[in-house]
Amino acid sequence: MGNKQTIFTDEQLDAYQDCTFFTRKEILRLHGRYHELAPHLVPMDYTNDPDCKLPLALIVNMPELKENPFRNRIVEAFSEDGAGNLSFNEFVDMFSVLSEMAPRELKAIYAFKIYDFNVDNYLCKEDLEKTLNKLTKEELTPEEVELVCEKTIEEADLDGDNKLSFTDFENMISRAPDFLSTFHIRI
Amino acid sequence: MEHSVSFSVNICEMDPDYENLGEDEPDEEPIFQDLRESAASTQRSPETLQMDIFRECTDSQSDGTPDTEQSDGTPDTEQPDGTPDTEQPDGTPDTEQPDGTPDTEQPDGTPDTEQRSSLQRHCWSAATQKVLSSMPSRTVGKSSTAVTSQHSSQLHQNQASPHGSAHSFRPVRDGLSKVDVKEISTEENKKERLVSSIRGLSLGEGIRKLRAMPLSLTDKMEIRRLAFSGIAGNTLLSRNIQCYSHLRAYILRMWRQCLFSCHIILSFLQLWHLPMKRLSGRFGTGVLSYFLFLQTLLHFNFLLLIITGLFVVFPQAINPPPLYDSHLNNLTGLELLMGTGYLSQSLMFYGYYTNTITKTCSTGESPVCKADRSQIVPYSMPAAYFLTIVIAFFITCIILVYSMSRSFGRSLQVLKSKGNLAVQVFCSWDFKVSKKSSVRLHCENISNRLKELLSETISGEDKKSCKQRLCRLIVRLLAWAACLASIFSGAIAVHHMSEAFIKRRSFSDTELLLLSAVVSGFNLLLPGFFNLCAWLEKRDSPNVRICVSIFRNLLLKVSIVGVLCYRWLWRIAGEPGHHGLKCWESFVGQELYRLLLIDFIFTVLYTFIGEFLWRLFSKRMLKRNRKPVFDIARNVLELIYGQTLTWLGLLFAPLLPAVQIIKLFVLFYMKKSSVMLNCQASRKPWRASQMSTLFIFILCFPSFLVAAVSVIYTFWKITPSSGCGPFRNLTTVFQSSKLLRQELEISHPALSWLTWLYSSLVENPLILFSTTGVFLMVIYFHNQVVDGQRQIIAQLEKQIENEGKDKKFLITKLQESSEQNNLVSPQ
């Protein structure tokens, strides 16, 4: 290719390309973004797989995520420890799933995780209330919020347990053709 | 009765630690015993465990009436000797009676209580809840893809890391070697299963499947390493397999490096990455779709330019024909605009191209070609021109149909929509929006939309009085009548003007410019009039409004293009000598070139006056703070109109795609700055994916179809002009292919099979008809399959509903029976 980069080995870049929806150039660009979040913490040389995690507070300051009401949940959903500390692999994974080439099923799985605030694998009423409050920045009255939650569960709950399991959620997503274009962050 | 109660009791005992240990309950008994003994710090008997649960139940429930019954009832049913429970042997002997000391919380208490508290809305007893939470669908769901990543993160925790992650339901594992082994083996099984599912597929399929797995990146890399490089083994066979996989991986890597070395093309494809990102951050997906569409059109034109440039323009540029008029060597500004003068005898237009067959020697060294004809490579200009146009259109058609079907497939709504509220809550947030003010606006939009939907569902249909509805209907009819009348009058005006000029047989510069200006003027002003009508109509649903607006704009463009085609292909081409034109194709090409340029100039003026000055005016004079909204429908149809003209003009002016490319380039930057400065994000939601499908559909069907039909008509029926162009002295353009065939037969008899193939396949109408018939049958078959699948989906939906009802029914029956038991056997 001409320009030799020393951040990753060729095998590592190939592995990244096969496992994500990014090209080599984009992976290198992502590494640049990751590095500039904490230049003193993130090493420039990733050939030895260094164990470096950035805390939640740094990641949600990225311009793409800063104003997003779900930024904390997004980062938590992709972190292994659930607290929002992302290694570079998890960072790439997050943007790969949120890129425009990720298939609908994959996006639905992670969207479900993001909206599941109490991490019990169900979207119960409390989860819905929190989602709504974040969506509307508390412009709806509590009665309206209650009503919307009830109606949402009524509409989407297929097996009648008054909360949305992943199957219910996926079924509802399939009725929304815009989901693929809205659940997308450009990086 | 007793059995059923004790069953519920035993399920109670099993429950809290059971969530993650899989479906095979009987195997877990000895492990379960260990767990029970070592769980938490205190020695807990099942009864105390139960009491905790009951306490939590009573705490979280406000009335608590069923629970008080339960807390008395359930422990009493445990007999000291133990009823012979076949499902589950008792772990610890149930000798103690519950004291009710509030023990420490179970390590994984939180998710259970939340689960239970949401079910308690229906006042189900704790026993019923235990049954519910250990239903197979709940426990199987733990190992579904939705939580595969949780499990996979534990793929790495093979060694005893005592505490699970924050959201695992794992109990404390000190000294639980049996549990470890069990869990490690289940995880290993999962990993093996994933790896084997990939290994069996081809490389491309495997990579696609790997990418779509919801695992963490580290796990995916692990699986990739195992699946694609093979497991090292000692046998010859496994070594061979390993060798082959290595070779395959090596070839793949070489190919990828080659691909990425031509990064010029790639950087062109990602040309406007950063500007698009800024736009989507501020305006969301709606405005972005316009700019994406612009980029798509740019790619199309680039492809057309490459094809015509390589096969038509370049060969002719190497062998220039003798010039007609030597005094037309200087290029003035007006001529650049009009396309006359110097340009009319340049590569730009049809008239420049010769009908010669240039012969080049294949042996380049000797200056004199041998008389041996087999070494001569003929390049027939007419045939090249004809075939290039045909192939360019064919490729464009295929690409359009492919992108349209892909876009349509993505936006298809197969299942019936019961309501929109859930979709609005979960799918309406646009994650691309990143600017603070836009985010605030987006939140407002969503809350307004939710309020609207709520009020619709509460109050039902918007009840209007008869009088209001009649009024509305009249207004709508009037608006439609006005729009149709304006379109009709515009078309008639252009037609009359054209006829007047033709009758006068004068083709002076001013008149031609006037015609183009009138056409562009109508294209510019009438959409504003349509917007006014739409504002008067006051439709409720934004979708319908957008569709109506698009339809009206489309009608306008189609009628104008129709009138112009009539002028060119019927009137001018029909009797060229009648109008004193030596080369009518060049003339038509010049008209198209002029139209494109004047359209562009008018767009620039409109952007400046209409958007920039209007914003200043409304801010200063009208004192309104709101900026105008970017009219996506109108701008997209402008683009489609320009592209139609380019396709129409490809035959008459082969370099027209270059003009269109320059125009699109400048338009992108101009519109981008205009949008950033003058417009604000729309308050109405924009159905992005359906609109993109609609745009591609309009590009394919009216636009491309009109162009293709005109070109076919030109090739088939119209006599080319005899004084210029590559098809002079032929009755129809199709004859050029015959000429090529004859030439090939003479010079290269070895290639006669090619000509035979051509004559039997392409020129034979029977083959074309049968191919079309086969395609139609395939389409019909697929349509039937889709219909059948839709019916099956409806049936399955109904089944799921019925299952849900069944489940509710059984649960209430269970609840009733357990209540009856507790009443029957009090203590």
Side-chain angles (χ1 to χ4, degrees):
Chain A
M1 201 161 139
N3 42 343
K4 268 291 175 200
Q5 47 82 26
T6 52
I7 310 176
F8 297 104
T9 62
D10 278 339
E11 286 81 26
Q12 279 179 319
L13 277 180
D14 281 339
Y16 276 121
Q17 252 184 230
D18 281 340
C19 299
T20 66
F21 297 100
F22 289 127
T23 59
R24 291 163 84 98
K25 206 162 128 188
E26 286 165 340
I27 304 268
L28 292 170
R29 192 153 43 98
L30 275 172
H31 180 265
R33 295 295 304 269
Y34 190 68
H35 179 81
E36 75 187 16
L37 288 176
H40 48 285
L41 278 178
V42 174
M44 279 305 284
D45 187 0
Y46 256 80
T47 48
N48 311 322
D49 279 329
D51 189 17
C52 163
K53 285 194 183 239
L54 291 187
L56 177 81
L58 279 179
I59 309 232
V60 297
N61 265 332
M62 287 179 74
E64 288 88 356
L65 291 176
K66 200 156 63 154
E67 299 294 334
N68 195 318
F70 299 107
R71 55 189 176 270
N72 288 331
R73 274 307 301 154
I74 295 175
V75 181
E76 282 167 16
F78 285 95
S79 69
E80 204 171 323
D81 55 8
N85 302 312
L86 293 187
S87 67
F88 179 65
N89 279 353
E90 290 156 357
F91 184 78
V92 172
D93 202 19
M94 175 168 78
F95 284 108
S96 169
V97 169
L98 286 165
S99 73
E100 64 189 332
M101 281 176 296
R104 180 187 282 260
E105 299 77 27
L106 190 63
K107 287 196 182 207
I109 290 170
Y110 282 99
F112 185 76
K113 280 170 115 179
I114 287 175
Y115 292 129
D116 186 10
F117 282 82
N118 53 11
V119 206
D120 62 349
N121 291 318
Y122 288 98
L123 296 179
C124 57
K125 195 144 163 280
E126 287 76 24
D127 291 331
L128 282 177
E129 279 173 9
K130 284 202 194 123
T131 306
L132 267 174
N133 284 328
K134 283 196 190 284
L135 266 182
T136 59
K137 284 215 174 33
E138 271 131 49
E139 278 207 18
L140 296 179
T141 64
E143 295 86 33
E144 286 175 333
V145 171
E146 174 89 21
L147 211 53
V148 171
C149 291
E150 267 181 34
K151 293 240 171 281
T152 305
I153 293 184
E154 212 180 282
E155 267 180 26
D157 187 20
L158 280 183
D159 50 7
D161 56 357
N162 284 308
K163 43 192 186 168
L164 305 182
S165 67
F166 179 66
T167 3
D168 299 331
F169 184 76
E170 206 180 12
N171 190 27
M172 184 199 30
I173 292 287
S174 63
R175 284 190 236 138
D178 289 332
F179 175 66
L180 274 178
S181 54
T182 53
F183 195 70
H184 166 221
I185 292 184
R186 268 175 184 263
I187 181 88
Chain B
M1 276 308 185
E2 299 237 328
H3 260 279
S4 65
V5 175
S6 49
F7 170 83
S8 71
V9 166
N10 289 317
I11 300 288
C12 280
E13 291 169 0
M14 281 155 52
D15 180 64
D17 307 306
Y18 240 67
E19 301 278 339
N20 273 356
L21 296 180
E23 309 90 70
D24 39 345
E25 295 170 355
D27 294 345
E28 307 294 330
E29 293 131 24
I31 303 161
F32 182 59
Q33 225 170 4
D34 292 336
L35 278 174
R36 186 79 60 71
E37 280 158 13
S38 56
S41 39
T42 59
Q43 266 296 326
R44 294 156 119 236
S45 63
E47 296 83 12
T48 50
L49 213 67
Q50 254 173 306
M51 278 314 290
D52 294 332
I53 297 163
F54 293 151
R55 204 151 313 260
E56 278 151 356
C57 288
T58 32
D59 286 346
S60 48
Q61 205 186 26
S62 44
D63 23 352
T65 11
D67 275 346
T68 49
E69 289 173 22
Q70 281 304 306
S71 52
D72 294 329
T74 339
D76 296 333
T77 57
E78 292 171 9
Q79 302 303 318
D81 345 310
T83 0
D85 301 315
T86 45
E87 282 89 15
Q88 149 78 18
D90 283 353
T92 348
D94 307 330
T95 43
E96 296 178 25
Q97 289 302 313
D99 296 321
T101 11
D103 289 332
T104 56
E105 262 198 302
Q106 15 178 6
D108 43 355
T110 340
D112 277 38
T113 49
E114 287 198 342
Q115 221 174 2
R116 260 175 253 118
S117 63
S118 60
L119 290 170
Q120 272 166 13
R121 285 202 307 142
H122 295 262
C123 306
W124 289 330
S125 67
T128 320
Q129 289 154 21
K130 302 308 168 292
V131 176
L132 276 180
S133 51
S134 50
M135 273 195 298
S137 58
R138 302 283 165 90
T139 47
V140 165
K142 296 292 187 278
S143 56
S144 73
T145 49
V147 287
T148 312
S149 58
Q150 276 183 8
H151 282 264
S152 68
S153 66
Q154 289 141 10
L155 278 176
H156 293 288
Q157 296 172 17
N158 283 339
Q159 299 315 308
S161 60
H163 304 286
S165 56
H167 41 211
S168 84
F169 304 119
R170 239 163 248 284
V172 176
R173 290 155 73 176
D174 293 325
L176 297 174
S177 49
K178 285 189 206 163
V179 183
D180 268 343
V181 164
K182 191 78 185 172
E183 279 158 3
I184 289 168
S185 59
T186 43
E187 285 155 9
E188 289 280 325
N189 284 339
K190 281 195 194 95
K191 193 155 72 158
E192 260 309 304
R193 251 187 295 139
L194 288 169
V195 169
S196 55
S197 71
I198 293 186
R199 215 183 269 147
L201 306 169
S202 70
L203 196 63
E205 278 289 319
I207 289 184
R208 212 171 307 144
K209 190 157 180 193
L210 180 68
R211 281 182 183 156
M213 283 186 186
L215 305 167
S216 75
L217 196 55
T218 332
D219 297 327
K220 278 195 215 180
M221 289 191 185
E222 174 80 14
I223 291 179
R224 171 186 178 268
R225 191 181 59 81
L226 290 174
F228 290 136
S229 57
I231 302 172
N234 284 327
T235 65
L236 194 64
L237 192 63
S238 62
R239 240 183 284 142
N240 276 343
I241 292 174
Q242 193 181 18
C243 220
Y244 172 63
S245 328
H246 272 309
L247 185 67
R248 202 168 52 171
Y250 177 75
I251 290 175
L252 200 70
R253 204 186 314 145
M254 281 293 115
W255 166 245
R256 277 216 207 101
Q257 280 185 355
C258 273
L259 209 60
F260 285 107
S261 60
C262 29
H263 69 114
I264 302 169
I265 298 181
L266 279 175
S267 64
F268 178 76
L269 289 177
Q270 296 167 356
L271 184 61
W272 289 319
H273 180 81
L274 216 54
M276 299 264 214
K277 194 171 147 188
R278 248 180 270 139
L279 275 169
S280 64
R282 199 157 139 194
F283 293 101
T285 321
V287 171
L288 187 69
S289 63
Y290 167 76
F291 290 96
L292 283 173
F293 190 67
L294 206 156
Q295 199 179 35
T296 317
L297 285 183
L298 193 73
H299 293 159
F300 270 123
N301 282 308
F302 197 66
L303 181 73
L304 279 179
L305 186 66
I306 289 178
I307 296 178
T308 50
L310 271 181
F311 295 109
V312 171
V313 177
F314 186 64
Q316 191 67 65
I318 303 180
N319 306 311
L323 287 175
Y324 304 113
D325 290 311
S326 53
H327 70 271
L328 287 176
N329 266 343
N330 306 321
L331 185 68
T332 63
L334 187 65
E335 283 179 350
L336 191 64
L337 180 66
M338 294 286 294
T340 49
Y342 175 74
L343 276 180
S344 67
Q345 289 182 16
S346 65
L347 281 167
M348 183 78 201
F349 294 114
Y350 176 92
Y352 186 77
Y353 295 86
T354 59
N355 68 341
T356 53
I357 299 174
T358 50
K359 294 180 168 52
T360 48
C361 297
S362 53
T363 55
E365 275 119 26
S366 60
V368 175
C369 246
K370 293 203 184 124
D372 187 5
R373 284 186 149 197
S374 58
Q375 279 184 349
I376 297 175
V377 178
Y379 193 85
S380 163
M381 220 35 236
Y385 204 95
F386 171 66
L387 286 175
T388 309
I389 302 283
V390 166
I391 289 174
F393 268 81
F394 189 63
I395 292 178
T396 314
C397 182
I398 290 179
I399 295 176
L400 271 177
V401 169
Y402 173 71
S403 56
M404 190 173 69
S405 55
R406 204 172 52 158
S407 176
F408 191 65
R410 260 196 280 179
S411 74
L412 193 62
Q413 271 182 317
V414 179
L415 302 172
K416 66 172 167 33
S417 48
K418 271 189 286 184
N420 268 334
L421 202 61
V423 170
Q424 279 295 317
V425 171
F426 287 117
C427 304
S428 58
W429 181 263
D430 194 346
F431 279 67
K432 286 197 276 286
V433 176
S434 57
K435 192 163 182 263
K436 194 161 187 168
S437 50
S438 304
V439 164
R440 201 174 6 108
L441 204 62
H442 201 32
C443 288
E444 269 181 45
N445 284 355
I446 293 181
S447 21
N448 286 337
R449 192 92 190 103
L450 286 173
K451 285 189 189 170
E452 280 174 27
L453 280 173
L454 260 184
S455 61
E456 266 178 40
T457 49
I458 290 175
S459 66
E461 275 289 316
D462 214 3
K463 292 183 179 60
K464 283 199 177 59
S465 68
C466 232
K467 198 169 152 194
Q468 269 185 322
R469 266 194 288 182
L470 197 66
C471 226
R472 200 165 255 235
L473 191 67
I474 292 179
V475 167
R476 285 201 189 144
L477 279 176
L478 279 176
W480 266 109
C483 292
L484 287 175
S486 59
I487 294 174
F488 189 65
S489 54
I492 291 283
V494 171
H495 178 70
H496 277 307
M497 192 181 246
S498 152
E499 291 292 310
F501 289 157
I502 287 176
K503 278 203 182 65
R504 260 189 280 156
R505 288 200 208 175
S506 60
F507 293 112
S508 68
D509 282 356
T510 39
E511 283 177 354
L512 294 174
L513 263 181
L514 191 63
L515 186 62
S516 309
V518 163
V519 169
S520 295
F522 272 123
N523 268 332
L524 202 69
L525 296 173
L526 282 182
F529 178 66
F530 298 154
N531 280 345
L532 187 67
C533 292
W535 178 74
L536 283 173
E537 280 179 349
K538 288 202 200 13
R539 283 183 199 272
D540 289 328
S541 153
N543 273 347
V544 177
R545 200 180 314 136
I546 291 170
C547 282
V548 163
S549 160
I550 288 180
F551 184 69
R552 285 179 184 157
N553 278 306
L554 187 64
L555 262 182
L556 170 69
K557 307 283 195 242
V558 164
S559 49
I560 292 218
V561 168
V563 167
L564 288 171
C565 278
Y566 170 77
R567 171 188 156 86
W568 295 323
L569 296 180
W570 195 263
R571 298 288 279 137
I572 292 186
E575 321 134 7
H578 192 60
H579 312 296
L581 281 171
K582 247 193 323 179
C583 199
W584 67 265
E585 289 101 341
S586 284
F587 179 74
V588 172
Q590 282 163 2
E591 287 231 323
L592 279 160
Y593 171 81
R594 242 190 324 266
L595 266 176
L596 271 182
L597 277 187
I598 294 192
D599 212 35
F600 177 58
I601 293 173
F602 272 48
T603 313
V604 169
L605 283 176
Y606 171 73
T607 309
F608 187 68
I609 296 176
E611 291 175 9
F612 181 62
L613 288 182
W614 176 254
R615 176 177 71 97
L616 288 178
F617 175 69
S618 73
K619 211 170 180 183
R620 305 265 168 81
M621 299 296 170
L622 302 179
K623 298 281 188 224
R624 262 198 288 178
N625 227 357
R626 275 203 62 205
K627 296 185 190 170
V629 169
F630 186 68
D631 192 351
I632 301 174
R634 175 214 181 118
N635 283 294
V636 166
L637 280 168
E638 283 282 333
L639 287 178
I640 293 179
Y641 170 71
Q643 190 60 36
T644 315
L645 290 181
T646 312
W647 277 329
L648 271 175
L650 191 64
L651 174 60
F652 306 113
L655 278 179
L656 209 58
V659 175
Q660 178 78 342
I661 287 176
I662 298 173
K663 180 180 154 190
L664 286 175
F665 225 85
V666 177
L667 201 67
F668 179 87
Y669 289 106
M670 199 180 64
K671 285 285 175 189
K672 182 177 87 78
S673 24
S674 154
V675 157
M676 288 291 208
L677 280 177
N678 304 335
C679 298
Q680 68 168 7
S682 159
R683 286 185 174 269
K684 303 287 177 194
W686 176 262
R687 305 286 294 274
S689 68
Q690 284 183 334
M691 287 300 139
S692 323
T693 315
L694 189 65
F695 296 154
I696 292 270
F697 182 75
I698 295 178
L699 187 68
C700 188
F701 274 115
S703 164
F704 182 73
L705 200 66
V706 162
V709 164
S710 317
V711 165
I712 291 175
Y713 179 74
T714 314
F715 279 167
W716 202 5
K717 289 284 191 190
I718 300 183
T719 318
S721 60
S722 53
C724 63
F727 304 122
R728 60 191 97 167
N729 302 325
L730 297 171
T731 38
T732 57
V733 177
F734 273 142
Q735 276 193 349
S736 60
S737 56
K738 289 201 185 78
L739 284 178
L740 173 66
R741 237 184 340 159
Q742 288 165 4
E743 181 61 36
L744 264 182
E745 274 168 9
I746 298 169
S747 57
H748 287 267
L751 288 179
S752 59
W753 60 271
L754 197 67
T755 55
W756 173 83
L757 203 69
Y758 179 73
S759 65
S760 57
L761 281 182
V762 176
E763 288 185 350
N764 192 355
L766 188 65
I767 300 280
L768 290 175
F769 275 130
S770 43
T771 324
T772 317
V774 164
F775 276 136
L776 283 175
M777 280 198 287
V778 166
I779 292 173
Y780 176 72
F781 175 72
H782 276 289
N783 213 10
Q784 291 300 312
V785 166
V786 166
D787 267 344
Q789 283 174 347
R790 218 174 269 151
Q791 282 177 5
I792 291 177
I793 289 173
Q795 281 176 11
L796 285 173
E797 270 193 322
K798 199 90 183 59
Q799 254 184 15
I800 294 176
E801 266 185 58
N802 287 336
E803 293 293 323
K805 288 185 197 151
D806 280 348
K807 199 153 72 171
K808 268 196 192 144
F809 175 76
L810 288 172
I811 289 170
T812 42
K813 283 284 178 237
L814 182 66
Q815 164 77 358
E816 283 170 20
S817 74
S818 67
E819 276 178 4
Q820 268 184 5
N821 276 337
N822 293 328
L823 288 173
V824 160
S825 55
Q827 196 75 23

